[in-house]
Structure formats: C-alpha cells, structure tokens
Amino acid sequence: MTFLIHTYGCQMNVRDTEAVTALLVAAGHTPVALEAEADAIIVNSCSVRGKAEDKAIGKLRQLAAGKRKHPGRIVGAMGCMSQRLGPELFKLVPRLDFAAGTRSERHMPRLVAAAAAGAGRQLALGTVDDPEVPHLHQPGSMSAYVTVLLGCNRRCSYCIVPDVRGPEYSRPPSEILDEARALIAAGTSEITLLGQSVLNYGRTRDVWQGAPPSAGGYREPFPRLLEAVSALPGLRRLRFTSGHPSGCTEQLARAMRELPCVCAHLHLPVQSGSDRILGLMRRGYKAEDYVAAVARLRAAVPDCAITSDTIVGFPTETEADFEATRALMARVGFDNTFIFKYSPRPGTPAAEMADDVPAEVKEHRNRVLLEDQDRIGLALNEAWVGRVAEVLTEGPSLRNAARWAGRSSQNKIVIFAPRPGMAVNDLARVRVTRAKPQTLYGKLVEQGA
Ligand code: 5AD
Ligand code: SF4
C-alpha cells in the first residue's frame, strides 16, 4: 500500500512520524507525497492547545469525507490528541479507521493491515509509560533527531504533555550512541537530541551506572551525554532541545564551550516574566533565576543564541504581569520567541482556574510581543553584519534558487551566493552583509572542511 502521514505539533511528533514511516516501509508499504496517491492517510496530531486539536480534527474529517471520492481509502490518527481523546475520537470523526496513542507506534503496521482487511474501527492506546518505542530512521537525511528522553515529569500547570506523553524515561546512553553512529554512517552530519525537558536526562534514572568516568570531568548526566555523542567521528553538529533553566548548570555551560560540535543555541522557554504567573504556572523558577541561567550560558559561550516560548493571557495575567514579560524579553534579548495565547487543556491544574483574560486582550498582547520580538531579533541579527558565520549548507534557497541557504551554529538561516560545484552538507564560512529579523544574508568567504 501507499501511505502519507501529516504531522502537526513539535519535533517529537516529527520524530515519531519518521519512526512510523520506517516501520511501515519495513512492512512493505510505500510513502507518497500526494494525498491523491495514498491508500492510507494518517494524521499525527498535537494536543498542546485547543487550536492544534481543532486543526487535526478538521483535517481528519476532511480526509474521512474524501472517502466518497476515494473508496477504500484508509484514514488513521496517531499522536498526542489520539492519546488524549481515545475512543472519543471515533465520535468526533465517525469514519475514522484507526487511532493510535503515543508510545504505540509499533502497532501501526498492524492497524493499517487490519483497516485494509476491513476489520472495522481499531484503537491502540498503549500505556504512556511504555519505554518500548521504535527509534527507526529513514536513512540519508543530513540532519536527524534522536530522542533521548521520553515523556515529561515537570507538570507545568497549563501543560497536557505529561498526560499524553507520560512520565520521563531516559534512554540508556549505549542505545543513543548506537543510533547516532548508525545515522552518521548513513550520511547524517547534524544530530539534535530531543526531550520535552532534555536537560533532565538521567536525573530520574541512573543511566551512566558502571560507565568509566567522563574524560572531560563531567559528572552531570546530560553534559556527559553531550560529551559522548560529540566524540563520535564524522559528526559535525550537535544540538539539543528543549531546555529548562534548572538544567543550565556550570557543567552544561562548560560542555557547550568545550565540546567541538555542540552548537551555540538553546531553546529555553521562559513562558512569562512575572514571578506571580511563573508561580501559578509551576515553572519552578523566578524571572531572576531565568536571567541567571542565560547569563551562565553566555559567560561560557558569548555568541550563544537563546530562543524562547511565551504564553500570553494565562489566567489572572494583568497588564503589570504582561509588562514584566515584555521587560524580561527586552532584558534577555531573545533571538526568536514563539508566542502562544493561553488555551485551557482539560485535566490540567490551570484548567481549574477561570480562563479570564478576554480573547481580544490575548490577541493584543500576542501582537505587542511579536512586534517587540521582531525589533529585538533584528537588532541581534544586525550585530552579525560584518562577522563571519559558519554555515552548514542545505541547498538552494526556496525563494531564490540562485542563492543557497544553510544554518549557522546559532540556528539562524543564512542566505548566500554559492560557489560553483557547491555541495549540500558543506561547512561554509559566510560574511554577513545584511540582516532581517529571521534571516541573515552574506557572501561566501572560504570553503570549510
Ligand atoms: N496554552 C498555550 N500555550 C501552551 N503551551 C503549552 N501548553 C499551552 C497551553 N495550554 C506552549 C508553551 C510551550 C509550547 C510548546 O506551547 O509555551 O513551551
Ligand atoms: Fe508535541 Fe506537546 Fe503537541 Fe504532543 S502535545 S505534539 S508533545 S507539542
């Protein structure tokens, strides 16, 4: 059969889609790019905000309605929303063939086969603490995600993730290293280590038991993992996401400075700049702690880019709370911020509070922060003009095929005129000549290794 997976949500979902794709390929199925060519269409869904769920349900309904035109088409759901809604999903999308929750990826070939055999509605809701998830890859991609930490134990009051992705499970380092080695052997040069709160790696399970001491003297489990992965021959870049201030220790800062392929970027969501709101969110830090965490990283890696997520309109957020967020954003100077309007998620502690910030106030605060961020991001990017960025080339730019695009260590998109015969996956040195809030433009200096 041919199949297509639509992916909503975060990098974890992108990773799960890739693993399921590899599983279905191993079962003899063929991935296609167009819906019209697909016998089976699967929606990998997100649950993080109401809007994300509305989008996934809308898509599933549209696909199910398309069965009239495409008889025999199979429509399935997987991911966080399936996990949250379970059997309910069949009420919302009556013609859905199957739904699989998180950590149930290994059942997908069976679900597709059962649907094809006309077995009727299928539901696979694994327990969310099942560590047995497939970590398969589609070979040959230049940049790959490797999951190191499943689930999340943090329980921020607004967040559905612990419910849908279960408790933390840190994978054994040997497994992670084997996976990274195989990726590198198949042509990958950039690896991003994934975890909802990735710096918590090894904090709830002693993963380094019995291993020889770290060569660099790292005692904390995550910096040790960075050291081990960055030592793999052939790896050019190592990234990790997402961070939490409690993990921004001196050892992490030193690892980011000393380890050769670790990139100068951390996604470190702050969520709010108001201590009162941070308390209600149960984030476990105050604004000053966050600022100190960023200062530790920047003291070790002065060029380190910091990006963030911010929620506007959390219950009881006042104008003064919002101004505290603006002030913190200005003080830290984020390279980029993703701004979200608060959305109550059923079953979370924050959903017990009234969602009392009016929609138009959320909208207004959202707009103000976007404008602030554009200004701040532009100023930070303009500081790159005249400097040389090291760029891992990705190929012709989408907007202008005569130009090439790549990313700097700071994860900024850099556009430049390629040299003749330039290859994808080269390390190029580009002198920046112009900056926009999200993009740098420049001229090639010399070809890297
Ligand atoms: N409402 C709005 N935004 C949310 N996020 C997580 N839960 C919610 C919610 N209930 C945001 C956070 C998180 C990002 C992935 O989504 O900012 O970092
Ligand atoms: Fe990712 Fe959270 Fe959305 Fe799940 S609910 S896809 S973990 S952002």
Side-chain angles (χ1 to χ4, degrees):
M1 284 200 300
T2 54
F3 70 96
L4 172 61
I5 308 180
H6 287 297
T7 309
Y8 299 105
C10 64
Q11 292 104 327
M12 315 289 156
N13 267 19
V14 173
R15 178 75 272 276
D16 294 344
T17 288
E18 192 194 6
V20 168
T21 301
L23 269 177
L24 292 176
V25 167
H29 307 301
T30 310
V32 290
L34 296 176
E35 280 180 9
E37 294 172 356
D39 301 321
I41 307 179
I42 300 164
V43 173
N44 191 359
S45 60
C46 172
S47 221
V48 77
R49 283 170 293 278
K51 247 191 172 164
E53 290 199 347
D54 295 345
K55 222 163 135 184
I57 288 171
K59 186 70 197 172
L60 283 168
R61 284 186 173 149
Q62 179 217 326
L63 292 170
K67 283 183 172 200
R68 262 179 254 126
K69 247 174 95 186
H70 303 273
R73 172 193 271 181
I74 295 165
V75 179
M78 61 180 274
C80 296
M81 183 188 72
S82 296
Q83 182 70 40
R84 191 178 84 75
L85 293 174
E88 186 78 11
L89 197 51
F90 291 105
K91 290 193 195 134
L92 294 167
V93 189
R95 301 187 70 183
L96 185 68
D97 294 296
F98 66 82
T102 57
R103 305 203 192 183
S104 301
E105 293 87 352
R106 65 176 182 279
H107 302 301
M108 296 297 280
R110 174 172 64 70
L111 294 171
V112 171
R121 289 175 177 176
Q122 305 282 318
L123 178 66
L125 274 192
T127 52
V128 288
D129 54 4
D130 186 348
E132 292 302 316
V133 303
H135 294 283
L136 303 177
H137 289 265
Q138 285 288 86
S141 99
M142 161 185 147
S143 182
Y145 291 130
V146 172
T147 305
V148 301
L149 182 68
L150 305 176
C152 188
N153 284 359
R154 213 164 267 291
R155 297 216 162 264
C156 303
S157 64
Y158 52 80
C159 189
I160 195 75
V161 173
D163 293 338
V164 292
R165 286 195 172 265
E168 280 180 7
Y169 171 77
S170 297
R171 294 177 67 203
S174 57
E175 231 182 88
I176 294 165
L177 290 166
D178 285 348
E179 187 174 329
R181 268 189 216 101
L183 282 165
I184 296 164
T188 294
S189 53
E190 177 177 80
I191 286 178
T192 303
L193 306 179
L194 287 186
Q196 289 293 345
S197 189
V198 74
L199 306 178
N200 257 21
Y201 176 77
R203 287 189 175 182
T204 40
R205 224 170 72 83
D206 184 7
V207 287
W208 287 104
Q209 231 171 12
S214 141
Y218 299 106
R219 290 181 317 280
E220 294 171 6
F222 187 72
R224 282 192 75 166
L225 183 69
L226 283 181
E227 178 188 49
V229 179
S230 84
L232 295 176
L235 183 68
R236 286 180 157 176
R237 282 189 167 174
L238 182 56
R239 301 183 182 277
F240 48 98
T241 199
S242 294
H244 182 276
S246 65
C248 297
T249 59
E250 289 294 343
Q251 284 200 22
L252 180 78
R254 180 161 74 82
M256 289 182 77
R257 184 181 68 231
E258 289 176 356
L259 300 173
C261 20
V262 175
C263 289
H265 170 227
L266 183 58
H267 186 61
L268 190 66
V270 67
Q271 311 299 0
S272 170
S274 151
D275 286 343
R276 190 181 69 82
I277 296 292
L278 286 169
L280 290 173
M281 288 178 163
R282 305 189 189 166
R283 289 289 291 171
Y285 56 82
K286 291 189 161 42
E288 280 311 316
D289 304 320
Y290 183 93
V291 170
V294 171
R296 264 193 300 282
L297 299 181
R298 286 188 174 151
V301 185
D303 275 345
C304 191
I306 305 287
T307 54
S308 175
D309 294 340
T310 296
I311 297 175
V312 291
F314 187 84
T316 76
E317 186 186 67
T318 62
E319 208 50 40
D321 294 317
F322 174 64
E323 287 303 322
T325 299
R326 292 186 74 191
L328 181 117
M329 279 174 66
R331 195 170 156 203
V332 173
F334 292 114
D335 291 80
N336 200 5
T337 301
F338 300 90
I339 300 148
F340 304 103
K341 289 175 264 187
Y342 171 73
S343 161
R345 306 313 296 133
T348 59
E352 308 280 303
M353 302 174 75
D355 181 14
D356 59 355
V357 178
E360 58 278 12
V361 175
K362 286 181 187 168
E363 185 54 50
H364 175 72
R365 290 179 184 169
N366 182 58
R367 218 172 31 243
V368 170
L369 289 193
L370 280 173
E371 283 167 17
D372 283 359
Q373 178 55 48
D374 256 17
R375 231 182 10 260
I376 295 166
L378 180 62
L380 285 171
N381 279 356
E382 278 172 343
W384 274 92
V385 173
R387 298 185 60 197
V388 173
E390 188 183 72
V391 177
L392 190 62
T393 60
E394 289 174 10
S397 148
L398 292 179
R399 294 237 178 105
N400 175 357
R403 297 271 180 276
W404 272 43
R407 278 177 192 267
S408 69
S409 172
Q410 289 73 17
N411 209 29
K412 293 179 190 280
I413 297 167
V414 184
I415 309 287
F416 58 97
R419 87 179 69 253
M422 186 142 215
V424 171
N425 220 352
D426 271 347
L427 275 178
R429 287 162 54 77
V430 176
R431 187 172 301 280
V432 178
T433 52
R434 194 159 62 88
K436 283 199 196 169
Q438 310 281 350
T439 319
L440 301 176
Y441 299 81
K443 286 202 168 73
L444 218 47
V445 181
E446 72 193 55
Q447 196 153 1

